[in-house]
Amino acid sequence: MNSKMDWAYSEKLKEHFMNPHNILEDEDSYHEDGKGIVGNMKCGDQMMVVIKVDKAKGVITDCKWKTYGCASAIASTSILSEMVKGMTLEEAYYISPKDIAKELGGLPGHKIHCSVLGDKALRAAINDYYQRNGMLDKIKKQEARVVCQCMNVTDKEIEDAVLEGARTYIEIQERTKAGTVCGQCKEDILRLLDKYKKKHFAEAKQKNLSN
Ligand code: FES
């Protein structure tokens, strides 16, 4: 038996997993300006992100987090918490899982969904900051529709998964975790999978024809 572990992760990802930065050690003594909690305890993936904000500048000055998630969720959120310091709330709101994966030097495809937890929690924390400060016009509405209630996965995330290469129901499950608990969302996911494959595949075909 080969006792060596096969590391499919970048050095930077391993470093952030071994020594995660900015973990929230003492929730009670941390006076955050905004807090976001996302995830589902059923599968152990829950994430909390808290931020401090320079109110005059609208800039994030500190970011801490804690999770019961997997290695990739830990490393992703660790690096995310570094990336957002010094960013405006607007800039931080639009950080995507892809930006995080890029900063980590790549994430295996089936692990991209783990990095989704951190940036979702960050957006919830930013909206919470707006809410606490009466800046209701700034709160970004979630335009996406939740398709899988158990795992809180939206149609937008399913579309992203298709764009990132998912072509089957199982691949959608692997990437987003949608449909992995009660399965009631399966029909909806299959319909969306078909829709997004047609939408993006058809577009690609048209582009090829016009080239
Ligand atoms: S609603 Fe999707 S698994 Fe339950």
Side-chain angles (χ1 to χ4, degrees):
M1 201 179 96
N2 186 358
S3 60
K4 268 173 76 183
M5 287 183 80
D6 180 16
W7 287 100
Y9 300 109
S10 75
E11 286 303 318
K12 200 163 181 184
L13 189 149
K14 280 185 261 175
E15 151 65 20
H16 276 271
F17 173 61
M18 298 297 192
N19 300 298
H21 304 191
N22 306 311
I23 290 182
L24 180 61
E25 305 281 0
D26 182 4
E27 216 178 310
D28 294 333
S29 67
Y30 190 86
H31 302 295
E32 80 280 346
D33 295 315
K35 179 194 284 185
I37 301 174
V38 297
N40 188 311
M41 287 309 287
K42 276 185 198 157
C43 80
D45 272 359
Q46 198 180 44
M47 176 71 71
M48 175 197 287
V49 168
V50 288
I51 52 171
K52 286 190 180 177
V53 176
D54 177 331
K55 293 186 184 174
K57 294 185 182 150
V59 164
I60 295 176
T61 55
D62 194 32
C63 177
K64 295 207 184 302
W65 57 277
K66 68 178 180 185
T67 186
Y68 301 104
C70 66
S72 301
I74 290 170
S76 304
T77 315
S78 173
I79 198 135
L80 173 70
S81 65
E82 291 288 312
M83 287 165 75
V84 298
K85 281 188 220 170
M87 276 190 182
T88 65
L89 293 162
E90 283 289 319
E91 286 167 343
Y93 193 91
Y94 290 106
I95 290 182
S96 70
K98 273 193 193 143
D99 297 331
I100 298 169
K102 199 169 148 203
E103 195 73 22
L104 277 171
L107 264 185
H110 65 287
K111 286 290 176 189
I112 291 277
H113 69 258
C114 304
S115 65
V116 169
L117 269 185
D119 73 284
K120 252 189 192 171
L122 173 68
R123 283 194 291 279
I126 292 172
N127 277 339
D128 182 47
Y129 169 79
Y130 290 141
Q131 179 88 37
R132 291 185 194 198
N133 289 277
M135 301 158 82
L136 302 186
D137 56 315
K138 293 261 190 194
I139 295 177
K140 311 264 190 290
K141 297 272 183 309
Q142 179 60 271
E143 283 157 22
R145 175 177 69 87
V146 175
V147 175
C148 174
Q149 302 294 339
C150 293
M151 293 308 297
N152 196 25
V153 178
T154 66
D155 53 354
K156 176 81 183 63
E157 287 165 85
I158 289 172
E159 182 167 14
D160 285 348
V162 171
L163 283 168
E164 284 161 11
R167 292 291 177 269
T168 64
Y169 181 61
I170 289 175
E171 284 168 356
I172 291 284
Q173 286 182 309
E174 283 172 355
R175 279 169 195 260
T176 67
K177 293 192 181 170
T180 56
V181 186
C182 76
Q184 276 181 20
C185 51
K186 184 172 180 181
E187 285 303 309
D188 207 359
I189 294 172
L190 287 173
R191 199 179 46 75
L192 289 170
L193 180 61
D194 196 41
K195 175 179 154 184
Y196 295 134
K197 276 198 297 189
K198 277 191 186 133
K199 179 179 165 189
H200 297 292
F201 183 59
E203 276 176 6
K205 247 166 88 181
Q206 267 177 6
K207 271 186 203 142
N208 284 341
L209 284 176
S210 62
N211 280 341

